[in-house]
Each structure stands twice: as C-alpha cells, then as structure tokens.
Amino acid sequence: MNVALTPTLLPHIDVQPTPPEALVALQARFGAQLSTAWAVREQHGRDESAFTHVPPPAAVVFAESTQDVADAVRIAAQWRVPVIPFGVGSSLEGQLLAVRGGISLDVSRMNQVLAVHADDLTATVQPGVTRKQLNEAIKHLGLFFPIDPGADASIGGMTATRASGTNAVRYGTMRDNVLALEVVTARGDVIRTGTRARKSSAGYDLTRLFVGSEGTLGIFTAITVRLYPLPEAVSAAVCSFPSVDAAVRTTMAIIQMGVPIARCELLDARTVRAVNAHSKLGLREAPMLLMEFHGSPASVREQAETVQALAHEHGGQDFGWATTPEERTRLWTARHNAYFAAVQSRPGCRCITTDACVPISQLAEQVGAAVAEADAAGLPYFLVGHVGDGNFHMGYLIDPDDDAERARAEALNAALVQRAIDCGGTCTGEHGVGLHKMAFLHAEVGDGALALMRAIKAALDPLGILNPGKVLA
Amino acid sequence: MNVALTPTLLPHIDVQPTPPEALVALQARFGAQLSTAWAVREQHGRDESAFTHVPPPAAVVFAESTQDVADAVRIAAQWRVPVIPFGVGSSLEGQLLAVRGGISLDVSRMNQVLAVHADDLTATVQPGVTRKQLNEAIKHLGLFFPIDPGADASIGGMTATRASGTNAVRYGTMRDNVLALEVVTARGDVIRTGTRARKSSAGYDLTRLFVGSEGTLGIFTAITVRLYPLPEAVSAAVCSFPSVDAAVRTTMAIIQMGVPIARCELLDARTVRAVNAHSKLGLREAPMLLMEFHGSPASVREQAETVQALAHEHGGQDFGWATTPEERTRLWTARHNAYFAAVQSRPGCRCITTDACVPISQLAEQVGAAVAEADAAGLPYFLVGHVGDGNFHMGYLIDPDDDAERARAEALNAALVQRAIDCGGTCTGEHGVGLHKMAFLHAEVGDGALALMRAIKAALDPLGILNPGKVLA
C-alpha cells in the first residue's frame, strides 16, 4: 500500500508574542546569562535541518546549573512561555526551531563531567558535555563512550534524540547506554530516574521515556551513561563492491551470522567521490563498506577473516586494512565528514536527510528502491548508512529557495518512509521526529499509540511549554 | 543514612465486591471461557511470593485472542472491575494477588508463536508462550531467545516484570530484547508500539514504558522479541572459592576487564549443599561460580583462560568444565532448581527473596553485609546471584504463619535494600515491585519520580482498573 504520505514542506509556525513580564522576570533572575541580541537568538533558532525562515526565539538563557534550568522553567511556566533546550545545535529535524516562539535554554555551559566510576563503567555528566569531551576525559582510564553520531553532539542532545551512529551495531544506542537522569520537569521540579545499577525492574522506565523525548517532556541536567573498556585490539577495513546491493547483502550476511562487528558503514560511489575530494583520499570511487572490529587480537583477526570471506562471496575487492590509530582516525574522520563533503559538493544547498531503519532482511530492497527513485528524480543526493543496524540516510541536496526541488525531495522521503513502514521498519532510526517527521510518526504508530503519547505529554507538561509543536502534531 | 525502610509485612487488602452485572456480562460474552470455580480462582489468586490469606479473584477469564482481552477489559471498564493479567503464575512479589478484588485474565491459552523472522533475528509471540516453548520452536533454525529467569515463565509475564536472569550479563534484559508490542489499553483499545527495526527514534518509547509495568498500564497480546544465533561454541565451568567475597571479587574483575561472559552465577555453600541434595550432584560445598562462555571455539577458549587466571588470583580452585550439552544441561538445571531445592530444605516454608542490584564495585561489600546480617539474625536462608550484573538474591526461608519470623526477614530485606539504594543501586533487579516493594520503590526514586509515575498511570488508566494496588502505593 505505497500511498504517498503527506510530506512536511514547511513547519506550521504559530508564534505568540512573549509577555514582556516574562522577559523582565528572566532578566531579573539571569542578568548577563540572558541574551536578546539578534545574532545570539538567530544562532539558537536553527539547526542542521533544511527548514529556513522560522523566527528565532525571543531570548536565550545560558544555564549554568540545575537550579538555573529549574528557575528558567518555573518562570516560563508562570507566563506560559515555550522553552526549547539547546546543546550544540546539531539536530537534523528542526528540533530547535522556535515555531511557537518562546525562549531557547542553552545548556552548553553545563559542561562538567560530574563523576567517573571507572570500576562500574559509568560516568555522570552535565548535558552540555560533548561526546568527544567525555572521551577525552576518560581515555587515561582505558575507557570509552561508544555512541558516535558523527557530529560532536552534546550528551544532552544525544539523549534527547535517542542518538546512535556508527558504533550502535555493537554497543547499542542512547536507549541502551543511558542508565540514569536528573531531569527538570515542566513545573520546574528536579527529579531523578534510574540508578547506576546495570539493570532494574523498579517501576515505570522513566529513563527510557525521557530518552528520545526531544525536549518535550523534561530538560536533562545530568546524565549517567555506560562506559566500556577500550578494546585490546581495533582494526578498521574498507572494501569496495560492484554495487550498493552487493555491499548491503554482505552486511546482511555479517549480521545474520552474528559477527560482533563494531562498525559497518555504507558509502555509495558519489559519497566516496565527495569524501575523496574533501579529505584528500584516494579511495576507489565505488560503493564501499567501512568497518571496524573490536576485541582481543585473536577475536579481531577471526572476525575480519569471516567478514573478508563474506565480502568475497559478494564480489567485494580491494579489502584494505587500517590498523594504526592514525590510519583509522583518517578513515573515520573522512566518514564523519561525508555529510559536509556532500553538502559542499553543491554550494548553497541544504540537505534533506532520510533516516529510515528497516529489518535487516529488507535492507537491500529498501536501499535499492530509494536509489532507483532518486536517480529517476534527477536530484543530487548522497547515500550513507549504518547498515549493520538496517539504518540508511539518503541526503537530497536542494536549493532551499526552490520550492519545487524541496517538494520533490520531500516526496522521495515520504515514499521511502512509507515503504520502510510497510516492511516493518521505522521512519527514524536515530535523528528523531522534530518538526519534520510528525506525519510519518503518526503513520508509523497509528492513532492508538499516538493518543497514548499525547496523553503522556498532557500528563507531564499540562501547560504545553516544553518544546511545543514538535514530535506530536 | 542507613534508616530502616518500612517493610511490607502484609499487603493492604481492600476488596470491593464485583457487581453481579459485570459477571453476567462476562458470562454472556465468554461462556465456558469464564470460571468462578473456587479451585480455579484460588490458583489464580496467588504467586510465588510469601503473601498468603489474600482472597482470590471473583472470576477467571481464559482469553484466547486479542479480541477476548479487549472485550474483557471493556466489560471490566464498564463496571469498574479490576483486571489482573495472568501468565503461568511464577511472579515473586505478589503481582497476581487480587488485593482490590476483580477478575484474573488468564492469557495462557494465547500460546502461539505468531511469526519467526529468522533473517531478522526476531520472533512475534502471544503472551502465553513460555520461554522454553519459544526456544523449542526456533531451535531448528539455529536461533535462541536468551532471557532465562529460571522458571519457565510466559513471555508476557517476563515482559511485564522486565525479567532477566542468568544470560542478562551478555544479552541484556527484557528491556533490551522486546522490540515491539501489541497492547490492550485500559479502554479496551488495541494499540501497537515499536517496529521490527533494531533501533528507532520515533517518538516516546512506549515499548519500554510498557516493559516492566506489571500489568498496570496495559495488557500485552503480542510481543516481538530479538533472537540470537546459537553460539558456535558453548562451554560451562564451575569454580569453588574460599569465600563468597572471593567469588564476588573474581566476578568484579571479569566484568571490569570486559570479558563477554554469557553467564556468571554465584551460589553460596548452603545453596550448593541444597542443590547437591536435590539434584544428586557432588559439587564441593563451598561458594561457587557457575559460568558459561559463548562464541567461536577460539573466543570461548580465550575467555575461559582469562577467567581461569582471574579466579586463580582470588583463590579459586576445582575449576571444572562442562562442554557436552548433557553436562551443561545438568549443571544449569541444578542452578535453576536452586530455589526449589532451598525451599524444600525447610518443609512448609515460604521464601522471602531479596532482589537488590548494585553497581558492580559495591557488590562484595553489599553481599558481605547481607550475609553477615542474615547470619546474625539466625534465620535459614540461601544466597544466589546473577553477580555479573551486580544482582543477588538472599532467600529467607520463613514459616508463613510465624509473624515474628516474617518480620525479621522483612527487616533484613529492608536494611539490605536501604544499603543498595545508598550505594547507587536498585531495590529490584528483575522481579519487579508488585505488592512487596512499593515502599522501597518510593525510597529509591523519590517523591518527584513517583509523582510522574502516578501521573502516567492516571493518564493511561484513569479508572484504575489495571492491576490496581500494585507498584504505586
């Protein structure tokens, strides 16, 4: 039933003016931590989504403590002013745009690693700590935090979108790696969820309810995450394939055999070309898998041999190894820059990114259909994927002022999502719903589950001040 | 702040009579699927908890389909009659007791494996399917479902309590392994949560909210779980230790080194003794770790060597291997029967089981304190633990009619829980809250989080008919 979904071309904007009394109260409480400067507001009123022309928030509060967050929310509640939490601004689906007005609550100054319990493999951080900062802070302990969405996102933002990225196939997503939270509720109360124990059956799983709630149910002020021992051995490999299909089918075989691969990334030929140009690499400009193996030296060798045999069966060639940290870093930096490399390949463009995630058995067919449709539509695009999880991103590169191009890209996205839902998948593997996928979410979960989500939102945020106009239409 | 918590000696019973019209309506709809026979009601009014003398439910409905569940709930809602879902009756904390009256909704006849997607490593089952039944159904595909709480529990019940057990240290708990649900809501609507994709950021994580909700937010009618390829090699080992402390410290070292051990179970000397007597084994009657390793033959060998070295450092001896399936089955059956073996060691007793789960660095101290207190109290007890997760169970064997013994055991439990909470742990690793731990839950999560749980309960079950009187006091 490949009925085209209604794509979101422009978000619904309904800005109520912020009561001057609210700004006065915020000013009185926050002084120099409050900014109404245009440049500051403008920088907080956008993200990496393709949406433009949304008015910025009325003001930006730079929170420096849990108490700051609680007080800001309490003042906002008093005047019914929307509050939009802001980390580093790397979200992709319009999560940060002030479509209902209100204030941006910037938590980037809350950037302390509060505690590292090396023996328990946990750390507690403030929400503005970025993933790279956390990894720097724990490296000397022989530990790492694996969740890696590419951008150096804040842990708060990654928690809010249930982020994942390249390591998720082995280590799970933020869902699996957040153990506990400190949260400011819509009333400005500070509550705690979860513990530092590895598992619990103590009541409703509030931690998991907040993870992925995109700022609409509460604002995180501390996050406890799982850490992992740095693997004894790490090896990265690239392998070129005659077709995207062959690369995807190799991935399916790897997963179905239970190989504990740590990363398994797909790049199509045009992405490899953009990456070569951007990062001065000489990779064969063909569909490619970029993989990483973690474990003991023997286990890494064994995994690599298995994968090499599977790749060979599917026509893989040029199997190349990167075993030194420098070579690996160069490869993964190139992968992380793929998005920017592709965007730079069309000056002035914005990128509309798809984010479907499908059962692994459906991946080759789903990716194939997406590529065929994009080729037929004649829009420039790139394709990357965390294919080990069944998650892939088509990036349509559009002229943001060309409505026809935007409509074409969104129609491709909608058709791709409908196919993903029809085969048992989801409209978003890791970017969240934001403004962009509210219609998709409805199609995916149905009236019943959406009504439950609305009931939860109404129960936890009865005034509707937490990031309104997002996730739930 | 080791303040003794208020232990639950007897549940608060407040049975309202079931309106005769409700029973008439249920009788009209369900005919022979409804029973009001005393023996049937009595069997559905208890579980493996130590609570006795609670009146049974007014009737038992044997649901055979999702529609049956929806209709039963709709009739119950019409007459404000409590509904208590029932799988196999193996819950441990009073989850099934009809403390507010109402009906038991037995889903054990909903025992079909609805779909197995071997390529995607997922299966969808009805709630009455037991874990052993599922494993039988997928064995020929080279797959298994790892969650193993010991009892042959229903997948519905395991989902409701967020169960885990012996394999969780490697494969996670029901939280990690339930992908999607079909749920009958408190209004009798049928909704779906989640997809068959490995990950998703699509809106609020309703799946995780329902997992562990103990029948208080909705009734599961279909559950999609993750499966795993049967490991190429499996090896089980037993190792005796000079003390519980040495066994626990070995476990801490294993986890902190990141060894991907599949099972790591502690039995104290008296449990080994009971197991020897019950299962006709000749294990050395000393504290013991019972372990299992999964992987390729080389990886299993490597894990075992690492663990053997760590055990040796802590005084481990008699390292014994079980590599044939028969030997392994004999050992694990003995472990699974430890509970019954221990209970049989005191004829007529009931068992009050603790379920704290603590950060792994705290485990030796927490277990040590629990053992010292129990020894000082002079109550018969046994000790087992999924120690790789920091989860351990003291089983106090009490005469259910001796109020003083019950009070002594509950005081030990409360003190143990308070210590677990104080060190960053949880009152329940896997058994859930039920009737038994409502005060503990409150102490653990605090007023703020408890208020949020109550708000969610009120939003999703405004009439309060779903398993009332449980989880939230």
Side-chain angles (χ1 to χ4, degrees), chain A residues 353-372:
Chain A
T353 309
T354 76
D355 183 30
C357 186
V358 298
I360 196 86
S361 69
Q362 307 297 310
L363 187 59
E365 195 179 325
Q366 296 292 316
V367 170
V371 166

Side-chain angles (χ1 to χ4, degrees), chain A residues 168-169 175 255 357-358 388-390, chain B residues 179 196-200 226:
Chain A
V169 61
R175 181 188 81 192
I255 299 303
C357 186
V358 298
D389 286 318
Chain B
L179 283 169
R196 292 201 308 107
R198 282 167 65 112
K199 64 181 194 183
S200 172
R226 291 179 71 165

